[in-house]
């Protein structure tokens, strides 16, 4: 079993979030605000269901899923799109594919050096975020 991603995590770095947001068509106004804020990731597991919350002073985004079970995701408050999403373990990485209007969209979470890593990708853009455990 891979190491647990569960817990609360605070953002320490966020590389190319701008490029990722541009790929998603987020307006300049929203991007300017979004770039200034730090995210907190709260990951919970109840049975075989995960709940992932992305929290900030600006907007919050929560979604839940079962591993290896495709579901309808609506990215409310983000780019407000519908995706058919599938989350599965690939080795020690929890990988999500978000099929929809945007090509090559998805993300991966993993633990490395006691940090939570997140790679978000859309079209040709990759955003890399790192979070430290909240103590
Ligand atoms: C919820 C915090 C959002 C802060 C930015 C707010 C507005 C910007 C609008 C759109 C930007 C597009 C995506 C937001 C990027 C990151 C938020 C979480 C992305 C995500 O899907 O995380 C996954 C993996 O942890 C779980 O949903």
């Amino acid at each position: 079993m891979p190491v647990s991603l569960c817990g609360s995590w605070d953002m320490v770095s966020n590389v190319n979030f701008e490029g990722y947001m541009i790929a998603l068509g987020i307006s300049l106004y929203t991007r300017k605000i979004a770039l200034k804020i730090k995210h907190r990731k709260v990951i919970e597991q109840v049975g075989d269901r995960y709940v992932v919350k992305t929290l900030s002073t600006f907007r919050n985004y929560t979604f839940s899923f079962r591993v290896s079970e495709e579901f309808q995701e609506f990215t409310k408050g983000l780019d407000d799109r519908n995706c058919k999403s599938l989350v599965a373990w690939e080795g020690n990485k929890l990988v999500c594919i978000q099929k929809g209007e945007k090509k090559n969209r998805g993300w991966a979470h993993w633990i490395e050096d006691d940090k939570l890593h997140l790679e978000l990708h859309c079209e040709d853009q990759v955003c890399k975020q790192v979070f430290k455990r909240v103590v």
Side-chain angles (χ1 to χ4, degrees):
M1 266 303 270
V3 248
S4 174
L5 305 175
C6 293
S8 294
W9 306 85
D10 276 346
M11 179 177 270
V12 291
S13 63
N14 191 4
V15 175
N16 195 36
F17 190 42
E18 173 81 343
Y20 175 74
M21 287 193 290
I22 290 172
L24 285 174
I26 306 301
S27 73
L28 176 65
Y29 176 78
T30 302
R31 293 201 313 268
K32 277 197 185 289
I33 302 169
L35 274 179
K36 288 195 180 127
I37 51 161
K38 296 238 188 290
H39 310 176
R40 173 171 284 186
K41 209 56 95 171
V42 179
I43 302 178
E44 294 159 355
Q45 196 180 355
V46 186
D48 60 353
R49 180 166 283 279
Y50 277 88
V51 181
V52 179
K53 297 176 190 162
T54 308
L55 308 174
S56 77
T57 51
F58 179 41
R59 284 181 196 166
N60 298 321
Y61 180 66
T62 297
F63 87 133
S64 84
F65 57 89
R66 282 196 181 85
V67 174
S68 301
E69 191 179 287
E70 193 173 62
F71 65 100
Q72 190 73 34
E73 179 178 11
F74 178 63
T75 58
K76 186 173 162 54
L78 302 179
D79 61 321
D80 293 312
R81 281 193 178 87
N82 283 295
C83 304
K84 270 201 184 352
S85 299
L86 177 66
V87 185
W89 285 105
E90 288 183 15
N92 66 337
K93 292 190 178 178
L94 192 63
V95 175
C96 178
I97 296 165
Q98 296 168 306
K99 278 190 283 180
E101 186 188 332
K102 290 289 171 184
K103 299 289 170 238
N104 189 37
R105 180 173 185 174
W107 51 259
H109 266 300
W110 70 96
I111 306 275
E112 198 178 307
D113 300 329
D114 295 327
K115 301 270 196 323
L116 177 72
H117 290 247
L118 171 62
E119 200 174 85
L120 296 153
H121 56 88
C122 180
E123 296 178 334
D124 61 346
Q125 295 297 312
V126 179
C127 168
K128 182 69 204 293
Q129 303 183 340
V130 180
F131 300 78
K132 69 171 174 10
R133 213 178 257 287
V134 178
V135 282

